[in-house]
Amino acid sequence: MLNITNDLIQLKQLIETKAQHPYLLKYIQKPSLDDDKLLLLWGLFNDVDVLSEERNQYIISTMLVQIALDTHEIVSNSGEGIELPEELKNRQLQVLAGDYYSGLYYQGLAGVGNVEMIRILSSAIKKINDHKIILYQQRSIKDVPTLITTIKAIEASLIFKLADYYNQPAWIDISEDLLLLNRLQAEMRNYLTSGQSVVFDVLRDISFDDSNSNDASEKEAQIRNQFEKCLRDARQSVKLSMQKLVTKNDYLLQRVNVILKQTESEVISYVKEG
């Protein structure tokens, strides 16, 4: 088996090199890689019968898709009002950068002649965008299970589609659960530092059976309790999903343990602040 640390470092360097464009980087932030998604992709493709060169291209292409999605996600909405020329240029370049990264993924897969992989990832992109609309559309989510399903779809559909294609259900489970936990952790941090979180906004719009009080502080406390339950459930799901993996992956286990410890300590802090 390849040395996982060196392999991931090499893959990350290849992805960053592919994503570099001197002109774009003068005006927009350098794209960041989600190391956990890269690790999950590496684990998945090392559990399936794929040539190493093809495996690397599939991982690189999938991460370029993720970069494209993330780049489009952060496009400013400032164009709704009056924009300064520099702001408009930055926003337009952000859109073009996302399109550029998408083009790189198509180019990479076309190079290995895998049309089926293009179809799989295109299907995942559509699913992700559909669920982003659901998440951000006001009052479109009526209950917590739908919220959780929506977040999982946004965060894990790329890996889900690939794992489903290769008949690797255990990798579907761990990817959905771990990336859900990561997203919830990020939302909690945003909420605690800035008071802003799309997940908390959705929870505020959901009617709970025991919501009888008109007191704003009590309602907010209830929202915090619901979020804490989501976070604790996600942590438990990650533990169970790790047990389903057939191939022992010590590197992933170490990473998961780090995330579990982080979220546990942050949950305790979150509860105390509440």
Side-chain angles (χ1 to χ4, degrees), residues 10-27:
Q10 183 183 31
L11 281 167
K12 190 169 183 177
Q13 289 174 341
L14 288 170
I15 296 164
E16 289 176 340
T17 299
K18 282 274 188 183
Q20 281 184 355
H21 191 291
Y23 179 75
L24 288 175
L25 294 180
K26 286 181 180 180
Y27 297 96

Side-chain angles (χ1 to χ4, degrees), residues 29-262:
Q29 185 177 351
K30 178 183 176 182
S32 61
L33 293 180
D34 189 317
D35 290 337
D36 290 330
K37 289 180 181 177
L38 178 59
L39 174 58
L40 289 165
L41 284 168
W42 188 96
L44 166 63
F45 276 105
N46 277 275
D47 267 4
V48 299
D49 186 19
V50 177
L51 295 175
S52 60
E53 288 185 4
E54 291 184 354
R55 178 209 66 175
N56 286 353
Q57 187 57 66
Y58 296 158
I59 293 174
I60 291 170
S61 294
T62 304
M63 290 304 299
L64 286 171
V65 172
Q66 186 63 62
I67 290 173
L69 289 165
D70 292 343
T71 301
H72 281 146
E73 180 79 8
I74 61 175
V75 173
S76 170
N77 290 322
S78 59
E80 295 176 0
I82 298 175
E83 285 185 291
L84 295 174
E86 191 66 22
E87 293 173 338
L88 176 60
K89 181 176 182 178
N90 181 272
R91 189 166 59 88
Q92 290 172 334
L93 286 173
Q94 199 81 49
V95 174
L96 289 173
D99 295 340
Y100 172 71
Y101 301 137
S102 293
L104 290 177
Y105 118 76
Y106 280 111
Q107 182 185 54
L109 292 180
V112 296
N114 196 322
V115 177
E116 181 66 12
M117 193 63 68
I118 293 176
R119 184 192 66 78
I120 291 168
L121 293 180
S122 295
S123 174
I125 293 170
K126 182 181 183 303
K127 183 178 178 182
I128 290 168
N129 288 331
D130 287 346
H131 280 274
K132 282 183 178 180
I133 292 172
I134 293 172
L135 181 64
Y136 289 99
Q137 189 175 24
Q138 190 174 17
R139 302 183 186 278
S140 61
I141 298 177
K142 305 298 183 184
D143 52 60
V144 173
T146 301
L147 172 61
I148 297 303
T149 299
T150 299
I151 296 174
K152 284 183 176 181
I154 292 170
E155 297 299 324
S157 282
L158 290 172
I159 303 175
F160 178 104
K161 292 286 186 178
L162 292 168
D164 184 57
Y165 175 73
Y166 287 107
N167 192 27
Q168 296 287 327
W171 283 103
I172 291 177
D173 291 340
I174 186 57
S175 297
E176 285 192 328
D177 293 332
L178 184 62
L179 296 178
L180 167 66
L181 182 59
N182 282 355
R183 177 63 182 265
L184 292 177
Q185 183 184 37
E187 294 289 337
M188 180 174 64
R189 288 172 177 171
N190 287 340
Y191 174 79
L192 292 176
T193 56
S194 68
Q196 302 298 315
S197 162
V198 64
V199 171
F200 277 83
D201 290 343
V202 171
L203 287 173
R204 291 186 187 101
D205 287 334
I206 295 175
S207 297
F208 299 106
D209 292 338
D210 57 346
S211 180
N212 298 317
S213 174
N214 291 321
D215 184 82
S217 60
E218 287 187 23
K219 285 187 175 181
E220 192 66 15
Q222 184 185 49
I223 299 306
R224 289 175 63 97
N225 289 338
Q226 286 290 334
F227 183 86
E228 180 194 346
K229 183 180 184 304
C230 290
L231 198 56
R232 291 194 181 280
D233 288 347
R235 295 184 74 259
Q236 185 60 29
S237 293
V238 168
K239 294 176 184 178
L240 295 174
S241 293
M242 281 298 296
Q243 297 173 11
K244 299 177 185 177
L245 290 177
V246 176
T247 304
K248 187 177 181 181
N249 190 320
D250 291 336
Y251 196 91
L252 178 60
L253 179 60
Q254 291 174 11
R255 176 57 185 156
V256 166
N257 285 334
V258 168
I259 294 172
L260 290 173
K261 288 179 181 178
Q262 285 178 342

